[in-house]
């Protein structure tokens, strides 16, 4: 449907609307696992006992100390983030594939157009565009979700003010480099896996979209998880949480320094902190995103005028 909707109807606005809707719904559903993932990823013990030792224990601890609302910590920004991110991601992906085609509806026989139409290429570019367009929200979401109690930031205004006072405008893009390093291959693989798998069965329906979407979310996450840990560490440096959440006095001079320090102090295991909740949320989140996207896009494009 992604290819069909974009390339036969040309209703690009539908892709942005469907993408925003899909991202908003799916991320709300998996927000608790995302909060747990972030808490585990930025937890640095430095000889002390771990506050969070696993997914179930972390869920219980957060609910006990912060109430159910703690599982959706920072979710308002997360919803804005994923609405914008998914809109840009799906909209850009569809637009790029449309641009690769000529007036006859076929891919132009030119190396650049052929590459642009391949989901690995168009998906990677779409991931980069979506990331650049929404990154400050991603950073803010991470800090809100990871802060724990007592709160470091009383509200969004306090968070924005703190980030700006610490590093100016550059502070809103802290950790952007590892984010792009992880996002580009992840989204590229996600779209490629999805487009490949959904073509296998004869009946292309919601179940097909769900299964293809689940694998498209699960498999790439296994590959890029270490990069996500580096990203989260760089996003959280300079944020001094309560000592119960682990050490927060670490600073990194860049991606290489961050990787080196994680390897030195935490070993290989450090790069896979939060892997279980990340994988647990990746499959259902991706499946739900693609199913909702396909449904909304179909509804929008089946209007009497064929326009949104």
């Amino acid at each position: 449907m992604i290819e069909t909707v974009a390339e036969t109807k040309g209703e690009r606005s539908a892709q942005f609307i469907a993408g925003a809707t899909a991202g908003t719904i799916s991320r709300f559903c998996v927000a608790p696992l995302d909060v747990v993932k972030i808490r585990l990823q930025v937890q640095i013990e430095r000889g002390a006992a771990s506050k969070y030792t696993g997914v179930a224990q972390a869920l219980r601890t957060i609910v006990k100390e912060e109430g159910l609302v703690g599982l959706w910590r920072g979710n308002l920004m997360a919803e804005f983030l994923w609405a914008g991110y998914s809109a840009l991601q799906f909209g850009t992906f569809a637009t790029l594939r449309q641009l690769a085609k000529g007036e006859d509806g076929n891919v132009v026989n030119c190396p650049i157009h052929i590459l642009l139409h391949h989901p690995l290429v168009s998906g990677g570019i779409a991931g980069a565009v979506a990331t650049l367009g929404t990154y400050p929200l991603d950073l803010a979401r991470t800090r809100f979700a990871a802060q724990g109690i007592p709160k470091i930031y009383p509200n969004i205004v306090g968070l924005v003010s703190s980030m700006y006072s610490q590093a100016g405008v550059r502070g809103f893009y802290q950790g952007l480099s590892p984010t792009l390093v992880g996002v580009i291959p992840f989204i590229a693989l996600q779209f490629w896996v999805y487009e490949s798998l959904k073509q296998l069965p004869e009946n292309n329906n919601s179940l097909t979209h769900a299964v293809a979407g689940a694998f498209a979310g699960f498999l790439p996450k296994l590959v890029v998880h270490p990069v996500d840990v580096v990203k989260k560490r760089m996003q959280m440096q300079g944020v001094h949480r309560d000592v119960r959440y682990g050490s927060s006095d670490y600073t990194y001079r860049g991606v290489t320094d961050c990787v080196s320090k994680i390897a030195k102090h935490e070993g290989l295991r450090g790069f896979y902190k939060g892997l279980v909740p990340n994988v647990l949320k990746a499959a259902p989140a991706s499946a739900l995103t693609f199913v909702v996207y396909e449904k909304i896009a179909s509804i929008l494009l089946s209007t009497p005028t064929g326009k949104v």
Side-chain angles (χ1 to χ4, degrees):
M1 176 61 74
I2 291 177
E3 180 175 356
T4 303
V5 167
E7 298 173 356
T8 64
K9 296 290 187 179
E11 299 293 350
R12 297 174 190 174
S13 58
Q15 314 309 309
F16 288 92
I17 295 172
T21 305
T24 300
I25 293 174
S26 66
R27 292 298 158 169
F28 178 83
C29 294
V30 300
L33 286 173
D34 199 38
V35 169
V36 170
K37 182 206 74 167
I38 293 173
R39 297 281 179 97
L40 289 170
Q41 286 180 322
V42 300
Q43 178 175 258
I44 303 178
E45 293 82 1
R46 297 283 175 88
S50 300
K51 180 176 180 62
Y52 304 119
T53 58
V55 177
Q57 183 269 345
L59 288 170
R60 290 195 301 269
T61 301
I62 293 172
V63 171
K64 179 180 178 180
E65 297 180 349
E66 305 172 48
L68 280 174
V69 69
L71 297 178
W72 277 269
R73 184 77 65 195
N75 194 61
L76 177 60
M77 277 176 293
E79 292 301 325
F80 282 115
L81 163 65
W82 284 105
Y85 186 94
S86 296
L88 287 172
Q89 172 186 289
F90 281 101
T92 302
F93 179 78
T95 299
L96 290 173
R97 293 181 66 118
Q98 173 64 22
L99 291 174
K101 291 201 166 187
E103 294 181 359
D104 61 356
N106 296 316
V107 179
V108 177
N109 189 21
C110 164
I112 294 179
H113 287 77
I114 293 173
L115 278 174
L116 193 60
H117 190 263
H118 196 287
L120 280 173
V121 177
S122 50
I125 295 174
V129 170
T131 298
L132 291 172
T134 60
Y135 188 76
L137 286 171
D138 185 16
L139 177 58
R141 152 67 172 166
T142 296
R143 292 194 172 187
F144 249 104
Q147 65 179 330
I149 52 173
K151 288 183 178 181
I152 303 171
Y153 311 109
N155 49 46
I156 296 176
V157 175
L159 171 61
V160 172
S161 176
S162 175
M163 290 168 60
Y164 185 78
S165 64
Q166 289 178 352
V169 176
R170 289 180 65 252
F172 294 97
Y173 291 90
Q174 185 172 300
L176 177 60
S177 294
T179 301
L180 288 173
V181 170
V183 162
I184 292 175
F186 171 70
I187 300 300
L189 287 170
Q190 185 179 46
F191 274 113
W192 177 64
V193 171
Y194 178 74
E195 289 291 315
S196 299
L197 291 179
K198 78 170 190 175
Q199 302 300 330
L200 295 180
E202 294 182 3
N203 296 320
N204 198 316
N205 52 33
S206 293
L207 178 59
T208 301
H209 299 153
V211 174
F215 277 101
F218 172 78
L219 297 177
K221 277 294 183 184
L222 291 176
V223 177
V224 303
H225 183 82
V227 180
D228 192 43
V229 171
V230 173
K231 162 194 168 182
K232 289 295 189 291
R233 294 293 178 86
M234 294 192 69
Q235 287 182 329
M236 286 297 293
Q237 65 174 332
V239 179
H240 300 289
R241 300 185 297 165
D242 189 278
V243 293
R244 293 174 299 166
Y245 296 94
S247 175
S248 60
D249 60 352
Y250 51 89
T251 57
Y252 306 118
R253 296 189 299 274
V255 175
T256 303
D257 185 48
C258 181
V259 170
S260 176
K261 286 181 177 177
I262 292 175
K264 179 181 179 180
H265 298 293
E266 303 169 69
L268 183 62
R269 177 176 169 273
F271 293 101
Y272 289 91
K273 284 185 173 181
L275 177 64
V276 173
N278 200 15
V279 170
L280 286 177
K281 81 177 181 65
S286 183
L288 186 57
T289 296
F290 280 107
V291 169
V292 173
Y293 169 82
E294 299 279 8
K295 284 291 186 183
I296 297 297
S298 295
I299 292 171
L300 292 175
L301 292 168
S302 63
T303 56
T305 60
K307 298 193 179 296
V308 180

